[in-house]
Amino acid sequence: MRFDLTDLRLFVNAVEAGSLTAGAERTHLSLASASQRVLGMEDTLGTSLLVRRKSGVQPTEAGSTLLAHARRVLDQVEQLRSELGVYGQGLQGRVRLLCNTSAMAQHLPRALAGFLAAHPRVSVDLQERPSEEIVEALRSGLADLGIVSDAVASTGLHAIAWARDDLVLLVPPGDPLAGRRSIALADAAQRDFVGLAAGTPLQEHVAAHARRLGRRLAYRIQVSSFDAVCAMVEQGIGVAVVPRAVLPARRRAQGAQALALTDAWARRQLLVCSRADAPLPRNARLLRDALTRQAAPPAT
């Protein structure tokens, strides 16, 4: 069996992208060359590795086995390159980081800026995903690190408490609810809401809990950022569920009031997670350590 690193990287890229064409582009190969390499791998093994459909490709059972081993090999090569790079011209490499909406909006920018400034030859592939998807991606080896809410099960992952991330209900100035300090979502579910764009992980999270209450939240407007959400609430358009952490950055002169949500799912801690059954590449370890040096004490 003679697979080279390009074969393995192509196969992983094709599966992760769900397309041989996209996998070839990520591996900097022509589609014809990529197709020949996959066919050569299949001929060598005597079995199919990919199921090819109009919608893309998926690994066969044999392909899934190859995928797991290919990821381990490539991770080891990345770790070797990173550690040897210390003795050369500095580190180089890429860290695959997934995070939820709140981390993306508030907690990560400053932390990442410091890390990237300290390691100019390391790049970070950062994507926003729902916490549930992040833990599955980590378990499958599709990411090096993930930042998730502790509301999701992190079984099989190494998890470090990082930042408090409670959700609150933001109400307009002078609102009848403004005199309260706390509220359950059920007690506000009949109100008009301001939210993030449909499909945003936090938006889906809140909507799912509303459905468990038998409610469907009515959105007057949906916008693209927390700053826009807060601005709309301040103008009296509706109420909104937002992370408390996004509020200190805003001016308080407008008078919007944040009420603590008493629902258990709204009391959250962000966790920095990685696989517990596989060593992290050096660059991912450096990023994890940089993040966790800033870790807040666990929520009480």
Side-chain angles (χ1 to χ4, degrees):
M1 186 183 305
R2 295 183 179 179
F3 297 161
D4 62 26
L5 292 177
T6 302
D7 290 334
L8 298 181
R9 189 169 288 110
L10 167 65
F11 189 76
V12 171
N13 285 340
V15 173
E16 290 183 356
S19 161
L20 187 57
T21 300
E25 291 175 354
R26 291 186 182 185
T27 318
H28 307 294
L29 296 171
S30 68
L31 179 57
S33 176
S35 297
Q36 286 301 314
R37 282 180 175 270
V38 173
L39 288 173
M41 295 167 72
E42 291 176 327
D43 287 343
T44 298
L45 291 172
T47 187
S48 296
L49 295 172
L50 294 174
V51 177
R52 298 160 175 83
R53 300 190 176 97
K54 289 183 179 179
S55 58
V57 296
Q58 290 183 327
T60 63
E61 185 174 350
S64 294
T65 300
L66 174 62
L67 181 66
H69 287 282
R71 284 172 174 154
R72 293 191 190 102
V73 170
L74 294 173
D75 283 345
Q76 289 292 326
V77 171
E78 171 67 14
Q79 185 174 354
L80 174 63
R81 184 176 65 177
S82 296
E83 292 182 359
L84 289 178
V86 173
Y87 302 100
Q89 297 179 350
L91 296 174
Q92 60 182 352
R94 177 173 65 106
V95 181
R96 299 168 298 173
L97 173 63
L98 304 180
C99 71
N100 67 6
T101 303
S102 183
M104 179 76 86
Q106 181 66 20
H107 301 282
L108 264 180
R110 181 176 297 178
L112 281 179
F115 172 79
L116 292 172
H119 303 284
R121 301 193 69 191
V122 177
S123 62
V124 177
D125 181 1
L126 176 61
Q127 296 182 36
E128 180 185 344
R129 301 276 184 84
S131 291
E132 293 84 354
E133 290 186 16
I134 294 173
V135 296
E136 289 305 315
L138 288 170
R139 290 172 183 147
S140 300
L142 296 176
D144 300 310
L145 296 173
I147 299 177
V148 304
S149 164
D150 63 355
V152 302
S154 55
T155 307
L157 301 178
H158 178 63
I160 302 172
W162 184 49
R164 189 72 178 256
D165 193 46
D166 294 345
L167 299 176
V168 299
L169 185 75
L170 194 66
V171 301
D175 190 275
L177 296 175
R180 301 179 60 164
R181 300 187 63 182
S182 62
I183 192 171
L185 181 64
D187 295 333
Q190 75 283 1
R191 299 289 302 272
D192 289 333
F193 274 74
V194 176
L196 295 171
T200 305
L202 178 61
Q203 195 71 23
E204 295 300 311
H205 178 66
V206 175
H209 285 288
R211 287 194 296 270
R212 292 188 182 101
L213 298 171
R215 303 295 184 93
R216 182 183 178 90
L217 302 183
Y219 287 95
R220 292 292 309 281
I221 190 169
Q222 292 178 264
V223 293
S224 61
S225 68
F226 285 123
D227 194 64
V229 168
C230 294
M232 295 298 172
V233 173
E234 289 159 359
Q235 294 301 313
I237 292 173
V239 302
V241 175
V242 299
R244 186 183 293 277
V246 308
L247 299 178
R250 292 193 54 80
R251 301 189 306 275
R252 297 304 184 93
Q254 293 91 339
Q257 178 72 33
L259 313 183
L261 281 168
T262 58
D263 306 84
W265 53 266
R267 297 189 293 275
R268 312 193 306 174
Q269 183 85 16
L270 292 181
L271 309 175
V272 178
C273 296
S274 58
R275 288 177 62 180
D277 62 349
L280 273 176
R282 179 181 174 84
N283 291 318
R285 292 202 312 270
L286 288 172
L287 177 55
R288 180 196 63 191
D289 294 346
L291 292 175
T292 55
R293 278 195 295 271
Q294 305 174 28
T300 57

